[in-house]
Amino acid sequence: MSMIENGEIGQVQIQEQDNQILFTNSDNTEIYKTGILEDPYLTQRLYNAGAQFSGEIVEQMSPLLSLLLTWVLPIVIFIGIGQYMSKKLMQRAGGPNSMAFGMGKSNAKVYVKSSEGIKFDDVAGEEEAKENLREIVDYLHNPEKYREVGASMPKGILLVGPPGTGKTMLAKAVAGEADVPFFSMSGSEFVEMFVGMGAAKVRDLFRQAKEKAPCVVFIDEIDAIGKKRDSRVGGNDEREQTLNQLLTEMDGFEENSGVILLAATNRPESLDPALTRPGRFDRRVPVELPDLKGRESILKVHARKIRTAENIDYSAVARMASGASGAELANIVNEAALRTVREGRNTVTQADLEESIEVVIAGYQKKNAILTDKEKLIVAYHEIGHALVAAGQTHSAPVQKITIVPRTSGALGYTMQVKEGDHYLMSKEEIENKIATYTGGRAAEEIVFGSVTTGAANDIEQATRLARAMITRYGMSDELGMVALETVENQYLGGDTSLVCSAETQARVDRRTVELVKKQHQKAVKILTENREKLDELARFLYEKETITGEEFMSILNS
Ligand code: ADP
């Protein structure tokens, strides 16, 4: 507008389709551009200002540039994207040799620099296992020391033991103590639908590990791939290939390369011998169920995480929880904390811990009374029968506590045995006494009620199992002598047995077992008949109070 007023406009061109006006200054040296305004007098005014209307100041792109922009540039962009994508796919597939689309890549979880922060101190008990693994940690810290002497670390270490004893924790602790990367993978993760995929994963895992050395590679549940290869028709090709690849990789890396393999299993006997030969998983570290001291320290480790009262007697709790694994003890402590919250208090007490042992082992108390009075009386006599037979043989307190409150696990009564220490050996007499104790419940029912109930089913099973083991495994029968007639399979998972003898011997074993249990049953009946008054008195007490402790039991017995 001001240029029009000052008469400074040279040429003008109105481009209606582009919605713009181009114009020059009076000596045509500069081109200006502006949008079209809704102004009916514009033309007149331009004319008045002496502007020339012209078709010459066309501001057009050069034809070459426009060709480039409309045809060549898109093609270049597409080629670029294509290149980028194919490079990405290659990377994911782990190099040009692997299959495309990321198949065959190990998805091992890597915890660089012990991000979980588990140390040996967090794993309570298991001193022997830790002792064994400390050497590995020392090696990872200072491989030179070992190389100088020419000593080489075992390539693979197998952690064996029952479930929940802290095998995974120990492996993490090794990495945590050594402050090295930790690769963890479960054996079943290797096994894929397609044959060859597992082997590719193994290759990839080892490639990664070697890059990150020194490091710890942990394979949990290795029995999933390490099972004995057999010639059964239709054997698992994929699993065997994976195993073969693992064996080859373990041979492949040199000693002292800084990669330490740890593996865990609860079925060591099912592993392929090639996997456990020297040079592969040749060191075996047993991780057993914790003993009394171990249980106490595991309880203490886990109690650190909750708010407890000052005066808790952990050794008493540990004594009650005999046979519990580390995982069960962790669970017991947590149950106790939950119970505390449920009852609206803010510190966990001894009683909470004791109750939660019963919860973890036998289930919660059933709220509604489901027993009739008669049944309750029978249960009371039954439980006292066990305890009295036990006391009659050893002359000491046989139980910590008996309760006859039904539990959600289906147990009608619950007896907490005393175990002073851990026994490693049992004499023939002790086993016989134990069988007598098992039959004591049934014996009490017979004496008092003159009939029997189904309540003894579990006792009968246990007594029979012990009696049979005496004959077939411990060589404690005069007739059959020291011959192994049974083998134990799966020692860490229930310990099932299978008979290895002729049908004729089997019949003899059965006969002997029946005789043995019968004899102990008679012994139990004899003890109870001799102490009939005490039996009545104790059963009455339990029936009324529903709970009897070891001390109460002994004081009534000795009064
Ligand atoms: P596994 O691998 O032997 O089956 P884990 O190592 O996974 O058992 O242990 C399971 C859980 O049990 C752990 O997270 C821990 O809370 C507890 N636990 C087991 N053993 C111990 C132990 N010795 N000390 C402390 N906690 C333990």
PDB file of all heavy atoms in Angstrom, residues 118 121-126 161-170 218 220-221 264 266 287 290 294 297-299 301-302 305 325-331, ligand 1:
ATOM      1  N   ILE A 118      21.773 -59.317  45.043  1.00  0.00           N
ATOM      2  CA  ILE A 118      21.774 -60.448  45.977  1.00  0.00           C
ATOM      3  C   ILE A 118      23.212 -60.829  46.278  1.00  0.00           C
ATOM      4  O   ILE A 118      24.038 -60.978  45.381  1.00  0.00           O
ATOM      5  CB  ILE A 118      20.997 -61.642  45.393  1.00  0.00           C
ATOM      6  CG1 ILE A 118      19.520 -61.285  45.320  1.00  0.00           C
ATOM      7  CG2 ILE A 118      21.197 -62.881  46.225  1.00  0.00           C
ATOM      8  CD1 ILE A 118      18.642 -62.411  44.880  1.00  0.00           C
ATOM      9  N   ASP A 121      25.289 -63.089  51.740  1.00  0.00           N
ATOM     10  CA  ASP A 121      24.668 -62.856  53.045  1.00  0.00           C
ATOM     11  C   ASP A 121      23.157 -63.033  53.005  1.00  0.00           C
ATOM     12  O   ASP A 121      22.541 -63.350  54.011  1.00  0.00           O
ATOM     13  CB  ASP A 121      24.973 -61.432  53.519  1.00  0.00           C
ATOM     14  CG  ASP A 121      26.334 -61.377  54.150  1.00  0.00           C
ATOM     15  OD1 ASP A 121      26.884 -62.471  54.407  1.00  0.00           O
ATOM     16  OD2 ASP A 121      26.848 -60.265  54.369  1.00  0.00           O
ATOM     17  N   ASP A 122      22.564 -62.791  51.826  1.00  0.00           N
ATOM     18  CA  ASP A 122      21.112 -62.928  51.715  1.00  0.00           C
ATOM     19  C   ASP A 122      20.677 -64.383  51.685  1.00  0.00           C
ATOM     20  O   ASP A 122      19.518 -64.694  51.917  1.00  0.00           O
ATOM     21  CB  ASP A 122      20.612 -62.240  50.444  1.00  0.00           C
ATOM     22  CG  ASP A 122      20.894 -60.756  50.483  1.00  0.00           C
ATOM     23  OD1 ASP A 122      20.577 -60.148  51.507  1.00  0.00           O
ATOM     24  OD2 ASP A 122      21.438 -60.226  49.501  1.00  0.00           O
ATOM     25  N   VAL A 123      21.608 -65.254  51.344  1.00  0.00           N
ATOM     26  CA  VAL A 123      21.287 -66.676  51.339  1.00  0.00           C
ATOM     27  C   VAL A 123      21.754 -67.243  52.677  1.00  0.00           C
ATOM     28  O   VAL A 123      22.944 -67.350  52.924  1.00  0.00           O
ATOM     29  CB  VAL A 123      22.006 -67.403  50.188  1.00  0.00           C
ATOM     30  CG1 VAL A 123      21.503 -68.816  50.072  1.00  0.00           C
ATOM     31  CG2 VAL A 123      21.815 -66.654  48.895  1.00  0.00           C
ATOM     32  N   ALA A 124      20.787 -67.568  53.514  1.00  0.00           N
ATOM     33  CA  ALA A 124      21.167 -68.038  54.846  1.00  0.00           C
ATOM     34  C   ALA A 124      21.423 -69.533  54.806  1.00  0.00           C
ATOM     35  O   ALA A 124      20.919 -70.233  53.939  1.00  0.00           O
ATOM     36  CB  ALA A 124      20.050 -67.726  55.825  1.00  0.00           C
ATOM     37  N   GLY A 125      22.182 -70.030  55.787  1.00  0.00           N
ATOM     38  CA  GLY A 125      22.490 -71.449  55.820  1.00  0.00           C
ATOM     39  C   GLY A 125      23.306 -71.838  54.598  1.00  0.00           C
ATOM     40  O   GLY A 125      24.033 -71.014  54.044  1.00  0.00           O
ATOM     41  N   GLU A 126      23.180 -73.075  54.154  1.00  0.00           N
ATOM     42  CA  GLU A 126      23.847 -73.564  52.928  1.00  0.00           C
ATOM     43  C   GLU A 126      25.332 -73.219  52.928  1.00  0.00           C
ATOM     44  O   GLU A 126      25.873 -72.797  51.905  1.00  0.00           O
ATOM     45  CB  GLU A 126      23.176 -72.975  51.678  1.00  0.00           C
ATOM     46  CG  GLU A 126      21.686 -73.157  51.590  1.00  0.00           C
ATOM     47  CD  GLU A 126      21.272 -74.620  51.538  1.00  0.00           C
ATOM     48  OE1 GLU A 126      22.167 -75.492  51.410  1.00  0.00           O
ATOM     49  OE2 GLU A 126      20.085 -74.898  51.659  1.00  0.00           O
ATOM     50  N   GLY A 161      19.363 -80.074  44.269  1.00  0.00           N
ATOM     51  CA  GLY A 161      18.687 -80.093  45.557  1.00  0.00           C
ATOM     52  C   GLY A 161      17.197 -79.982  45.368  1.00  0.00           C
ATOM     53  O   GLY A 161      16.723 -79.718  44.268  1.00  0.00           O
ATOM     54  N   PRO A 162      16.454 -80.185  46.456  1.00  0.00           N
ATOM     55  CA  PRO A 162      14.997 -80.117  46.370  1.00  0.00           C
ATOM     56  C   PRO A 162      14.524 -78.708  46.021  1.00  0.00           C
ATOM     57  O   PRO A 162      15.292 -77.755  46.155  1.00  0.00           O
ATOM     58  CB  PRO A 162      14.531 -80.498  47.774  1.00  0.00           C
ATOM     59  CG  PRO A 162      15.731 -80.835  48.556  1.00  0.00           C
ATOM     60  CD  PRO A 162      16.938 -80.470  47.805  1.00  0.00           C
ATOM     61  N   PRO A 163      13.295 -78.561  45.561  1.00  0.00           N
ATOM     62  CA  PRO A 163      12.780 -77.242  45.187  1.00  0.00           C
ATOM     63  C   PRO A 163      12.764 -76.284  46.379  1.00  0.00           C
ATOM     64  O   PRO A 163      12.542 -76.707  47.510  1.00  0.00           O
ATOM     65  CB  PRO A 163      11.342 -77.518  44.742  1.00  0.00           C
ATOM     66  CG  PRO A 163      11.235 -78.978  44.568  1.00  0.00           C
ATOM     67  CD  PRO A 163      12.295 -79.620  45.374  1.00  0.00           C
ATOM     68  N   GLY A 164      13.022 -75.036  46.094  1.00  0.00           N
ATOM     69  CA  GLY A 164      12.879 -74.011  47.129  1.00  0.00           C
ATOM     70  C   GLY A 164      14.000 -73.942  48.132  1.00  0.00           C
ATOM     71  O   GLY A 164      13.847 -73.393  49.212  1.00  0.00           O
ATOM     72  N   THR A 165      15.169 -74.493  47.794  1.00  0.00           N
ATOM     73  CA  THR A 165      16.264 -74.439  48.764  1.00  0.00           C
ATOM     74  C   THR A 165      17.250 -73.322  48.449  1.00  0.00           C
ATOM     75  O   THR A 165      18.269 -73.208  49.108  1.00  0.00           O
ATOM     76  CB  THR A 165      17.019 -75.777  48.799  1.00  0.00           C
ATOM     77  OG1 THR A 165      17.227 -76.198  47.463  1.00  0.00           O
ATOM     78  CG2 THR A 165      16.228 -76.809  49.549  1.00  0.00           C
ATOM     79  N   GLY A 166      16.959 -72.519  47.434  1.00  0.00           N
ATOM     80  CA  GLY A 166      17.804 -71.354  47.203  1.00  0.00           C
ATOM     81  C   GLY A 166      18.832 -71.528  46.098  1.00  0.00           C
ATOM     82  O   GLY A 166      19.852 -70.833  46.090  1.00  0.00           O
ATOM     83  N   LYS A 167      18.596 -72.428  45.153  1.00  0.00           N
ATOM     84  CA  LYS A 167      19.570 -72.632  44.075  1.00  0.00           C
ATOM     85  C   LYS A 167      19.672 -71.391  43.187  1.00  0.00           C
ATOM     86  O   LYS A 167      20.758 -70.920  42.877  1.00  0.00           O
ATOM     87  CB  LYS A 167      19.177 -73.857  43.245  1.00  0.00           C
ATOM     88  CG  LYS A 167      19.195 -75.135  44.057  1.00  0.00           C
ATOM     89  CD  LYS A 167      18.934 -76.349  43.207  1.00  0.00           C
ATOM     90  CE  LYS A 167      17.491 -76.430  42.711  1.00  0.00           C
ATOM     91  NZ  LYS A 167      16.500 -76.552  43.796  1.00  0.00           N
ATOM     92  N   THR A 168      18.514 -70.874  42.796  1.00  0.00           N
ATOM     93  CA  THR A 168      18.508 -69.674  41.956  1.00  0.00           C
ATOM     94  C   THR A 168      19.161 -68.515  42.686  1.00  0.00           C
ATOM     95  O   THR A 168      19.957 -67.760  42.120  1.00  0.00           O
ATOM     96  CB  THR A 168      17.059 -69.309  41.588  1.00  0.00           C
ATOM     97  OG1 THR A 168      16.394 -70.475  41.162  1.00  0.00           O
ATOM     98  CG2 THR A 168      17.023 -68.271  40.505  1.00  0.00           C
ATOM     99  N   MET A 169      18.823 -68.395  43.966  1.00  0.00           N
ATOM    100  CA  MET A 169      19.415 -67.312  44.766  1.00  0.00           C
ATOM    101  C   MET A 169      20.926 -67.412  44.812  1.00  0.00           C
ATOM    102  O   MET A 169      21.635 -66.415  44.675  1.00  0.00           O
ATOM    103  CB  MET A 169      18.894 -67.404  46.194  1.00  0.00           C
ATOM    104  CG  MET A 169      17.648 -66.654  46.465  1.00  0.00           C
ATOM    105  SD  MET A 169      17.327 -66.740  48.221  1.00  0.00           S
ATOM    106  CE  MET A 169      17.786 -65.117  48.716  1.00  0.00           C
ATOM    107  N   LEU A 170      21.436 -68.640  44.981  1.00  0.00           N
ATOM    108  CA  LEU A 170      22.887 -68.822  45.065  1.00  0.00           C
ATOM    109  C   LEU A 170      23.556 -68.395  43.761  1.00  0.00           C
ATOM    110  O   LEU A 170      24.593 -67.738  43.780  1.00  0.00           O
ATOM    111  CB  LEU A 170      23.214 -70.280  45.365  1.00  0.00           C
ATOM    112  CG  LEU A 170      23.160 -70.675  46.837  1.00  0.00           C
ATOM    113  CD1 LEU A 170      23.236 -72.181  46.978  1.00  0.00           C
ATOM    114  CD2 LEU A 170      24.298 -70.027  47.609  1.00  0.00           C
ATOM    115  N   PHE A 218      23.450 -68.658  33.848  1.00  0.00           N
ATOM    116  CA  PHE A 218      22.703 -69.573  34.703  1.00  0.00           C
ATOM    117  C   PHE A 218      21.569 -70.208  33.916  1.00  0.00           C
ATOM    118  O   PHE A 218      20.757 -69.512  33.317  1.00  0.00           O
ATOM    119  CB  PHE A 218      22.145 -68.805  35.908  1.00  0.00           C
ATOM    120  CG  PHE A 218      21.287 -69.649  36.804  1.00  0.00           C
ATOM    121  CD1 PHE A 218      21.793 -70.777  37.411  1.00  0.00           C
ATOM    122  CD2 PHE A 218      19.959 -69.311  37.045  1.00  0.00           C
ATOM    123  CE1 PHE A 218      21.001 -71.564  38.238  1.00  0.00           C
ATOM    124  CE2 PHE A 218      19.166 -70.081  37.871  1.00  0.00           C
ATOM    125  CZ  PHE A 218      19.692 -71.213  38.465  1.00  0.00           C
ATOM    126  N   ASP A 220      18.402 -72.503  34.536  1.00  0.00           N
ATOM    127  CA  ASP A 220      17.551 -73.102  35.569  1.00  0.00           C
ATOM    128  C   ASP A 220      16.876 -74.329  34.984  1.00  0.00           C
ATOM    129  O   ASP A 220      16.650 -74.403  33.782  1.00  0.00           O
ATOM    130  CB  ASP A 220      16.502 -72.066  35.999  1.00  0.00           C
ATOM    131  CG  ASP A 220      16.057 -72.306  37.428  1.00  0.00           C
ATOM    132  OD1 ASP A 220      16.504 -73.307  38.006  1.00  0.00           O
ATOM    133  OD2 ASP A 220      15.275 -71.497  37.949  1.00  0.00           O
ATOM    134  N   GLU A 221      16.530 -75.281  35.830  1.00  0.00           N
ATOM    135  CA  GLU A 221      15.819 -76.500  35.393  1.00  0.00           C
ATOM    136  C   GLU A 221      16.480 -77.086  34.148  1.00  0.00           C
ATOM    137  O   GLU A 221      15.835 -77.303  33.125  1.00  0.00           O
ATOM    138  CB  GLU A 221      14.347 -76.207  35.089  1.00  0.00           C
ATOM    139  CG  GLU A 221      13.614 -75.347  36.084  1.00  0.00           C
ATOM    140  CD  GLU A 221      13.392 -76.019  37.426  1.00  0.00           C
ATOM    141  OE1 GLU A 221      13.709 -77.218  37.538  1.00  0.00           O
ATOM    142  OE2 GLU A 221      12.934 -75.356  38.352  1.00  0.00           O
ATOM    143  N   ALA A 264      20.901 -75.447  37.481  1.00  0.00           N
ATOM    144  CA  ALA A 264      20.200 -75.995  38.635  1.00  0.00           C
ATOM    145  C   ALA A 264      19.239 -77.073  38.181  1.00  0.00           C
ATOM    146  O   ALA A 264      18.672 -77.004  37.095  1.00  0.00           O
ATOM    147  CB  ALA A 264      19.430 -74.890  39.353  1.00  0.00           C
ATOM    148  N   ASN A 266      16.507 -80.392  40.033  1.00  0.00           N
ATOM    149  CA  ASN A 266      16.190 -81.281  41.155  1.00  0.00           C
ATOM    150  C   ASN A 266      16.123 -82.729  40.707  1.00  0.00           C
ATOM    151  O   ASN A 266      15.681 -83.578  41.431  1.00  0.00           O
ATOM    152  CB  ASN A 266      14.902 -80.897  41.908  1.00  0.00           C
ATOM    153  CG  ASN A 266      14.085 -79.870  41.194  1.00  0.00           C
ATOM    154  OD1 ASN A 266      14.131 -79.815  40.028  1.00  0.00           O
ATOM    155  ND2 ASN A 266      13.332 -79.069  41.846  1.00  0.00           N
ATOM    156  N   VAL A 287      22.591 -78.620  47.271  1.00  0.00           N
ATOM    157  CA  VAL A 287      21.921 -77.578  48.052  1.00  0.00           C
ATOM    158  C   VAL A 287      20.767 -78.269  48.760  1.00  0.00           C
ATOM    159  O   VAL A 287      19.710 -78.466  48.186  1.00  0.00           O
ATOM    160  CB  VAL A 287      21.392 -76.457  47.137  1.00  0.00           C
ATOM    161  CG1 VAL A 287      20.863 -75.297  47.961  1.00  0.00           C
ATOM    162  CG2 VAL A 287      22.483 -75.969  46.218  1.00  0.00           C
ATOM    163  N   PRO A 290      17.532 -77.110  54.629  1.00  0.00           N
ATOM    164  CA  PRO A 290      18.317 -76.553  55.728  1.00  0.00           C
ATOM    165  C   PRO A 290      18.151 -77.362  57.012  1.00  0.00           C
ATOM    166  O   PRO A 290      17.087 -77.915  57.265  1.00  0.00           O
ATOM    167  CB  PRO A 290      17.734 -75.153  55.894  1.00  0.00           C
ATOM    168  CG  PRO A 290      16.381 -75.216  55.306  1.00  0.00           C
ATOM    169  CD  PRO A 290      16.432 -76.225  54.224  1.00  0.00           C
ATOM    170  N   GLY A 294      20.368 -73.810  60.032  1.00  0.00           N
ATOM    171  CA  GLY A 294      20.067 -73.162  58.753  1.00  0.00           C
ATOM    172  C   GLY A 294      18.676 -72.557  58.762  1.00  0.00           C
ATOM    173  O   GLY A 294      18.478 -71.418  58.318  1.00  0.00           O
ATOM    174  N   SER A 297      18.611 -69.372  60.728  1.00  0.00           N
ATOM    175  CA  SER A 297      19.167 -68.173  60.088  1.00  0.00           C
ATOM    176  C   SER A 297      18.343 -67.728  58.887  1.00  0.00           C
ATOM    177  O   SER A 297      18.261 -66.538  58.603  1.00  0.00           O
ATOM    178  CB  SER A 297      20.637 -68.380  59.724  1.00  0.00           C
ATOM    179  OG  SER A 297      20.796 -69.586  59.059  1.00  0.00           O
ATOM    180  N   ILE A 298      17.696 -68.674  58.206  1.00  0.00           N
ATOM    181  CA  ILE A 298      16.813 -68.261  57.101  1.00  0.00           C
ATOM    182  C   ILE A 298      15.647 -67.445  57.658  1.00  0.00           C
ATOM    183  O   ILE A 298      15.278 -66.400  57.117  1.00  0.00           O
ATOM    184  CB  ILE A 298      16.280 -69.485  56.326  1.00  0.00           C
ATOM    185  CG1 ILE A 298      17.422 -70.170  55.593  1.00  0.00           C
ATOM    186  CG2 ILE A 298      15.215 -69.063  55.308  1.00  0.00           C
ATOM    187  CD1 ILE A 298      17.034 -71.438  54.888  1.00  0.00           C
ATOM    188  N   LEU A 299      15.088 -67.916  58.783  1.00  0.00           N
ATOM    189  CA  LEU A 299      13.992 -67.157  59.405  1.00  0.00           C
ATOM    190  C   LEU A 299      14.455 -65.752  59.751  1.00  0.00           C
ATOM    191  O   LEU A 299      13.753 -64.770  59.518  1.00  0.00           O
ATOM    192  CB  LEU A 299      13.519 -67.871  60.675  1.00  0.00           C
ATOM    193  CG  LEU A 299      12.610 -69.085  60.467  1.00  0.00           C
ATOM    194  CD1 LEU A 299      12.419 -69.822  61.771  1.00  0.00           C
ATOM    195  CD2 LEU A 299      11.260 -68.654  59.910  1.00  0.00           C
ATOM    196  N   VAL A 301      16.904 -64.013  58.376  1.00  0.00           N
ATOM    197  CA  VAL A 301      17.102 -63.202  57.168  1.00  0.00           C
ATOM    198  C   VAL A 301      15.778 -62.626  56.695  1.00  0.00           C
ATOM    199  O   VAL A 301      15.668 -61.441  56.356  1.00  0.00           O
ATOM    200  CB  VAL A 301      17.742 -64.060  56.047  1.00  0.00           C
ATOM    201  CG1 VAL A 301      17.568 -63.402  54.693  1.00  0.00           C
ATOM    202  CG2 VAL A 301      19.209 -64.267  56.323  1.00  0.00           C
ATOM    203  N   HIS A 302      14.743 -63.461  56.691  1.00  0.00           N
ATOM    204  CA  HIS A 302      13.462 -62.977  56.177  1.00  0.00           C
ATOM    205  C   HIS A 302      12.751 -62.086  57.191  1.00  0.00           C
ATOM    206  O   HIS A 302      11.973 -61.215  56.799  1.00  0.00           O
ATOM    207  CB  HIS A 302      12.592 -64.147  55.752  1.00  0.00           C
ATOM    208  CG  HIS A 302      13.058 -64.764  54.472  1.00  0.00           C
ATOM    209  ND1 HIS A 302      12.788 -64.206  53.249  1.00  0.00           N
ATOM    210  CD2 HIS A 302      13.833 -65.850  54.224  1.00  0.00           C
ATOM    211  CE1 HIS A 302      13.348 -64.937  52.309  1.00  0.00           C
ATOM    212  NE2 HIS A 302      13.996 -65.931  52.876  1.00  0.00           N
ATOM    213  N   LYS A 305      12.951 -58.260  57.041  1.00  0.00           N
ATOM    214  CA  LYS A 305      12.103 -57.461  56.158  1.00  0.00           C
ATOM    215  C   LYS A 305      10.780 -57.082  56.813  1.00  0.00           C
ATOM    216  O   LYS A 305      10.020 -56.316  56.237  1.00  0.00           O
ATOM    217  CB  LYS A 305      11.820 -58.248  54.869  1.00  0.00           C
ATOM    218  CG  LYS A 305      13.049 -58.543  54.076  1.00  0.00           C
ATOM    219  CD  LYS A 305      12.714 -59.437  52.900  1.00  0.00           C
ATOM    220  CE  LYS A 305      13.919 -60.290  52.517  1.00  0.00           C
ATOM    221  NZ  LYS A 305      13.516 -61.546  51.897  1.00  0.00           N
ATOM    222  N   SER A 325      11.562 -76.112  53.645  1.00  0.00           N
ATOM    223  CA  SER A 325      12.604 -75.590  52.767  1.00  0.00           C
ATOM    224  C   SER A 325      12.708 -74.081  52.961  1.00  0.00           C
ATOM    225  O   SER A 325      11.868 -73.472  53.625  1.00  0.00           O
ATOM    226  CB  SER A 325      12.263 -75.894  51.319  1.00  0.00           C
ATOM    227  OG  SER A 325      11.137 -75.139  50.944  1.00  0.00           O
ATOM    228  N   GLY A 326      13.726 -73.493  52.357  1.00  0.00           N
ATOM    229  CA  GLY A 326      13.908 -72.044  52.469  1.00  0.00           C
ATOM    230  C   GLY A 326      12.691 -71.280  51.980  1.00  0.00           C
ATOM    231  O   GLY A 326      12.254 -70.308  52.596  1.00  0.00           O
ATOM    232  N   ALA A 327      12.120 -71.756  50.865  1.00  0.00           N
ATOM    233  CA  ALA A 327      10.965 -71.053  50.308  1.00  0.00           C
ATOM    234  C   ALA A 327       9.776 -71.144  51.269  1.00  0.00           C
ATOM    235  O   ALA A 327       9.024 -70.182  51.441  1.00  0.00           O
ATOM    236  CB  ALA A 327      10.607 -71.647  48.958  1.00  0.00           C
ATOM    237  N   GLU A 328       9.626 -72.302  51.924  1.00  0.00           N
ATOM    238  CA  GLU A 328       8.518 -72.448  52.875  1.00  0.00           C
ATOM    239  C   GLU A 328       8.721 -71.543  54.083  1.00  0.00           C
ATOM    240  O   GLU A 328       7.769 -70.950  54.588  1.00  0.00           O
ATOM    241  CB  GLU A 328       8.397 -73.908  53.318  1.00  0.00           C
ATOM    242  CG  GLU A 328       7.538 -74.725  52.378  1.00  0.00           C
ATOM    243  CD  GLU A 328       7.680 -76.222  52.613  1.00  0.00           C
ATOM    244  OE1 GLU A 328       8.747 -76.657  53.099  1.00  0.00           O
ATOM    245  OE2 GLU A 328       6.746 -76.945  52.304  1.00  0.00           O
ATOM    246  N   LEU A 329       9.990 -71.430  54.516  1.00  0.00           N
ATOM    247  CA  LEU A 329      10.253 -70.569  55.669  1.00  0.00           C
ATOM    248  C   LEU A 329       9.959 -69.104  55.319  1.00  0.00           C
ATOM    249  O   LEU A 329       9.382 -68.370  56.125  1.00  0.00           O
ATOM    250  CB  LEU A 329      11.705 -70.728  56.122  1.00  0.00           C
ATOM    251  CG  LEU A 329      12.007 -72.097  56.735  1.00  0.00           C
ATOM    252  CD1 LEU A 329      13.498 -72.289  56.905  1.00  0.00           C
ATOM    253  CD2 LEU A 329      11.309 -72.246  58.075  1.00  0.00           C
ATOM    254  N   ALA A 330      10.337 -68.712  54.093  1.00  0.00           N
ATOM    255  CA  ALA A 330      10.027 -67.346  53.660  1.00  0.00           C
ATOM    256  C   ALA A 330       8.520 -67.133  53.681  1.00  0.00           C
ATOM    257  O   ALA A 330       8.016 -66.087  54.103  1.00  0.00           O
ATOM    258  CB  ALA A 330      10.584 -67.109  52.255  1.00  0.00           C
ATOM    259  N   ASN A 331       7.814 -68.155  53.260  1.00  0.00           N
ATOM    260  CA  ASN A 331       6.358 -68.092  53.237  1.00  0.00           C
ATOM    261  C   ASN A 331       5.778 -67.998  54.650  1.00  0.00           C
ATOM    262  O   ASN A 331       4.822 -67.258  54.900  1.00  0.00           O
ATOM    263  CB  ASN A 331       5.845 -69.352  52.523  1.00  0.00           C
ATOM    264  CG  ASN A 331       4.409 -69.234  52.119  1.00  0.00           C
ATOM    265  OD1 ASN A 331       3.828 -68.160  52.250  1.00  0.00           O
ATOM    266  ND2 ASN A 331       3.833 -70.313  51.653  1.00  0.00           N
TER     267      ASN A 331
HETATM  268  P1  ADP B   1      15.167 -73.021  43.975  1.00  0.00           P
HETATM  269  O1  ADP B   1      15.789 -72.375  42.811  1.00  0.00           O
HETATM  270  O2  ADP B   1      16.116 -73.880  44.765  1.00  0.00           O
HETATM  271  O3  ADP B   1      13.892 -73.750  43.700  1.00  0.00           O
HETATM  272  P2  ADP B   1      14.911 -70.306  44.898  1.00  0.00           P
HETATM  273  O4  ADP B   1      16.333 -69.938  44.908  1.00  0.00           O
HETATM  274  O5  ADP B   1      14.111 -69.818  43.757  1.00  0.00           O
HETATM  275  O6  ADP B   1      14.737 -71.884  45.027  1.00  0.00           O
HETATM  276  O7  ADP B   1      14.262 -69.854  46.272  1.00  0.00           O
HETATM  277  C1  ADP B   1      12.940 -69.452  46.372  1.00  0.00           C
HETATM  278  C2  ADP B   1      12.765 -68.476  47.509  1.00  0.00           C
HETATM  279  O8  ADP B   1      12.966 -69.120  48.761  1.00  0.00           O
HETATM  280  C3  ADP B   1      13.753 -67.352  47.495  1.00  0.00           C
HETATM  281  O9  ADP B   1      13.285 -66.273  46.777  1.00  0.00           O
HETATM  282  C4  ADP B   1      13.936 -67.004  48.970  1.00  0.00           C
HETATM  283  O10 ADP B   1      12.982 -66.058  49.384  1.00  0.00           O
HETATM  284  C5  ADP B   1      13.655 -68.301  49.677  1.00  0.00           C
HETATM  285  N1  ADP B   1      14.884 -69.000  50.085  1.00  0.00           N
HETATM  286  C6  ADP B   1      15.222 -70.258  49.714  1.00  0.00           C
HETATM  287  N2  ADP B   1      16.383 -70.637  50.284  1.00  0.00           N
HETATM  288  C7  ADP B   1      16.799 -69.601  51.022  1.00  0.00           C
HETATM  289  C8  ADP B   1      17.959 -69.386  51.843  1.00  0.00           C
HETATM  290  N3  ADP B   1      18.905 -70.320  52.016  1.00  0.00           N
HETATM  291  N4  ADP B   1      18.064 -68.179  52.466  1.00  0.00           N
HETATM  292  C9  ADP B   1      17.124 -67.247  52.299  1.00  0.00           C
HETATM  293  N5  ADP B   1      16.033 -67.391  51.536  1.00  0.00           N
HETATM  294  C10 ADP B   1      15.844 -68.548  50.906  1.00  0.00           C
END
